[in-house]
Amino acid sequence: MTQVGEGHETAADEAGPVLTFGAPTAGEVLAERYQLEEHVNNDSAGRQVWRGIDVILRRPVAMVLRHPGGDSATEMLQAAVAASRVIHPNLAGVYDAIDEQQRAYVVREWVEGESLRDLVAAEGPLDPARAITIAHSVADALTAVHATGMIHGNVHPGSTLIADDGRVVLADARAHEADSTESDVRAVGGILYFALTGHWPHNEVGRSALPDANRDSSGNPAAPRQIRAGVPAYLDDLTMDLLDRRVAAPVSDALTSELGRLDAAAEDEEFEDVGPLRFVQGGSSSSGEQMRSAPKILVGVGALIVIAIIGLIFGIRAINKTSDTNAANSGTPTAASTGDSGGETAPPRDPDKLKLSGDMVRLVDPPPGDRKDADEAELTVDGDPNTGWSTQTFYNRPNFGNTKDGMGILINLGEPRSLSEVRVVTSAPGVTMDVRTGTEDPGNSSNGDKKLLQQFKSLSDEKPEKSGGTKWTYPGFEPNQKYQYVLVFLTELPPNEDGDGFKVSVNEIELYGY
């Protein structure tokens, strides 16, 4: 049965309780129109998902119910209203969004089938041709969403539904302020990776957690071709480039066009000879259907031209990857971005672990924080994994009781340095954190911390994800930029060990650079 509503966990809803007070029952009619038929499941945010019937139009519907309604359900309802304006065969249609204060619910299309999550769990990794078809449909849906100025924000194997008739449907838009069109596009890389390997390349925890990707010592996922045989090299490159923030992401219509070309080649049984990637950035109007109708001779000529232009670039890039496997973590630009050097260049050296001392770090605790833990900040860089800074226990919500934006550790290197990555060791998994940088420290005080959060910017445009383990690595520094102030900032905490409230300890923070 379709897992409608499944997807990644979100900060806005994940702490919301499963609906208990005034719990719905089979046969109940909501809004004098929608009759509840069967409780399907609870989605990853704790909301109930039901199969129902629109008693007026006599059609099946999916209903997602949240308790309570009111202000806490605003984001869910706003996302549903926005999604209802986009009509596309690969998007689940949204029919209604209702707030009754005690509870709120969204009514949308019922898709008879199963999610990509369940399909892979039952059948194992998919063949490359089928993976491309699914990713093409998702990218096409995103192109329609982005054309209206919207962001989907929840491209995930649980929200990618495979109907019994073969249609691929993207459901449950949940755009957060940290989401972007780029993060949507990069999530298609995650869909490809999951379909090809059965593993999810992004950190995820909780009841709905997917199997984590096989990772190297730095936390980077292994390429699909390293996990299973039969994945074409260009599909492997496409998947990994979409996941790599150092490689410029295409716009959604360019990705749709490229996946449409691959999809058409698979249908014509020319899948293995499709040739190299060829994104056309911005304003591309070609679609999968147009690619299918194009004469094959034009496709062949185009492929030869592309090979002549970028073959050398991809060759150099492949050599660089094999010559130094650590380049992926150091932030060193690829050959495609640096161009021809006119001669041999020395391979980039490994980053060094920077020496940090207690006087280089301090606690960041914005209002209304009491800064009682300030003296523990130095324990995060003392080299002892058994000591660290422990947050207080927050009882209401994992986002610091919904009283402040979060807390963190600020590192002052004394002078600008070229950096490669941050490594953080915590006492428990499930911490949501990111890395932010700025040009100055406004002051070691409550007001100074407030100004700091206004001035410091996250290094990533993507929404921070929960750590999948106790060791967290962030390699997103720009290779041609230097940094003096680095903030490791926590925005959500995991459940306390005794199950009472939310709390975590940051035991070690390490910086690597040159």
Side-chain angles (χ1 to χ4, degrees):
M1 184 170 291
T2 304
Q3 300 297 296
V4 181
E6 284 291 339
H8 66 66
E9 300 176 10
T10 61
D13 278 349
E14 68 177 358
V18 174
L19 202 155
T20 54
F21 177 80
T25 57
E28 180 180 359
V29 179
L30 304 183
E32 300 182 347
R33 177 168 183 171
Y34 306 109
Q35 180 172 314
L36 300 177
E37 295 287 309
E38 180 183 5
H39 179 207
V40 178
N41 71 313
N42 294 336
D43 77 3
S44 58
R47 300 171 296 195
Q48 286 194 6
V49 182
W50 284 72
R51 178 175 59 83
I53 294 291
D54 182 337
V55 298
I56 295 178
L57 297 181
R58 306 305 303 172
R59 65 179 175 184
V61 294
M63 303 185 66
V64 182
L65 292 89
R66 187 192 192 283
H67 168 75
D71 292 341
S72 62
T74 299
E75 183 177 329
M76 178 185 82
L77 297 173
Q78 286 179 343
V81 171
S84 68
R85 299 175 183 141
V86 185
I87 308 299
H88 191 276
N90 298 121
L91 285 172
V94 177
Y95 305 142
D96 215 340
I98 300 172
D99 182 12
E100 295 180 345
Q101 297 301 312
Q102 285 294 329
R103 60 187 178 188
Y105 43 94
V106 172
V107 184
R108 58 187 165 197
E109 175 186 3
W110 173 261
V111 180
E112 197 66 53
E114 60 186 335
S115 67
L116 177 61
R117 181 214 309 270
D118 294 339
L119 176 64
V120 172
E123 300 182 7
L126 309 182
D127 65 82
R130 192 174 189 189
I132 288 172
T133 297
I134 292 172
H136 178 210
S137 297
V138 172
D140 204 17
L142 290 176
T143 296
V145 171
H146 294 172
T148 67
M150 287 173 48
I151 298 168
H152 189 276
N154 190 28
V155 180
H156 183 276
S159 60
T160 301
L161 311 178
I162 316 299
D164 289 343
D165 61 4
R167 185 167 65 108
V168 178
V169 181
L170 184 60
D172 197 24
R174 295 187 202 166
H176 184 271
E177 60 181 10
D179 292 320
S180 64
T181 56
E182 178 180 343
S183 63
D184 274 353
V185 167
R186 292 199 185 281
V188 179
I191 293 295
L192 274 171
Y193 192 97
F194 182 78
L196 292 170
T197 68
H199 294 269
W200 186 237
H202 305 298
N203 290 327
E204 185 178 69
V205 298
R207 180 191 60 78
S208 62
L210 298 171
D212 190 25
N214 296 325
R215 301 180 184 274
D216 60 22
S217 59
S218 298
N220 299 309
R225 281 167 64 87
Q226 294 176 308
I227 299 174
R228 60 175 292 198
V231 178
Y234 59 83
L235 184 57
D236 186 85
D237 285 341
L238 171 61
T239 302
M240 297 307 290
D241 282 352
L242 288 172
L243 297 176
D244 189 345
R245 286 192 293 254
R246 296 167 302 168
V247 178
V251 293
S252 54
D253 62 344
L255 178 60
T256 300
S257 180
E258 175 62 18
L259 288 170
R261 182 173 74 94
L262 302 184
D263 202 3
E267 290 186 2
D268 292 339
E269 299 183 349
E270 297 175 357
F271 182 62
E272 296 299 328
D273 301 318
V274 73
L277 309 178
R278 55 181 194 189
F279 287 129
V280 180
Q281 292 283 4
S284 172
S285 60
S286 59
S287 66
E289 291 301 320
Q290 289 171 320
M291 287 307 236
R292 291 185 180 92
S293 63
K296 294 182 181 179
I297 184 64
L298 293 181
V299 174
V301 172
L304 290 175
I305 294 174
V306 172
I307 291 173
I309 295 174
I310 68 173
L312 178 61
I313 293 176
F314 276 89
I316 294 174
R317 179 180 175 188
I319 293 172
N320 282 350
K321 285 185 177 180
T322 57
S323 65
D324 187 351
T325 57
N326 290 320
N329 300 325
S330 66
T332 303
T334 62
S337 64
T338 57
D340 186 1
S341 64
E344 295 183 0
T345 59
R349 64 183 178 89
D350 292 339
D352 301 318
K353 180 181 175 181
L354 304 186
K355 183 175 178 57
L356 302 178
S357 57
D359 60 353
M360 300 170 67
V361 300
R362 74 170 183 85
L363 183 70
V364 172
D365 188 9
D370 53 23
R371 307 173 63 79
K372 289 182 178 180
D373 312 323
D375 58 345
E376 295 183 0
E378 62 183 27
L379 300 179
T380 63
V381 295
D382 64 354
D384 185 352
N386 296 315
T387 63
W389 157 58
S390 296
T391 69
Q392 300 175 29
T393 302
F394 295 85
Y395 292 99
N396 296 326
R397 287 180 175 270
N399 57 340
F400 293 84
N402 202 28
T403 61
K404 53 188 173 184
D405 293 335
M407 298 177 69
I409 298 294
L410 177 66
I411 304 170
N412 180 2
L413 296 174
E415 62 180 2
R417 298 284 301 269
S418 295
L419 301 178
S420 171
E421 66 185 26
V422 177
R423 299 181 188 179
V424 182
V425 178
T426 58
S427 60
V431 186
T432 301
M433 52 187 159
D434 66 346
V435 176
R436 306 182 185 188
T437 62
T439 57
E440 63 178 359
D441 181 356
N444 188 3
S445 65
S446 184
N447 287 333
D449 290 348
K450 181 179 180 179
K451 293 179 181 178
L452 183 144
L453 293 185
Q454 293 172 346
Q455 297 172 7
F456 276 47
K457 303 299 182 183
S458 177
L459 287 178
S460 174
D461 293 331
E462 298 183 10
K463 178 182 177 181
E465 296 184 350
K466 290 187 177 182
S467 59
T470 59
K471 295 182 179 180
W472 183 83
T473 301
Y474 183 85
F477 291 96
E478 292 293 336
N480 298 321
Q481 186 173 337
K482 293 187 177 182
Y483 306 85
Q484 179 174 341
Y485 296 94
V486 177
L487 172 63
V488 177
F489 197 64
L490 284 59
T491 53
E492 292 183 28
L493 305 174
N496 202 357
E497 292 181 357
D498 58 10
D500 185 17
F502 303 89
K503 179 180 181 179
V504 78
S505 294
V506 177
N507 296 342
E508 282 297 310
I509 298 177
E510 297 177 349
L511 266 179
Y512 289 78
Y514 305 94

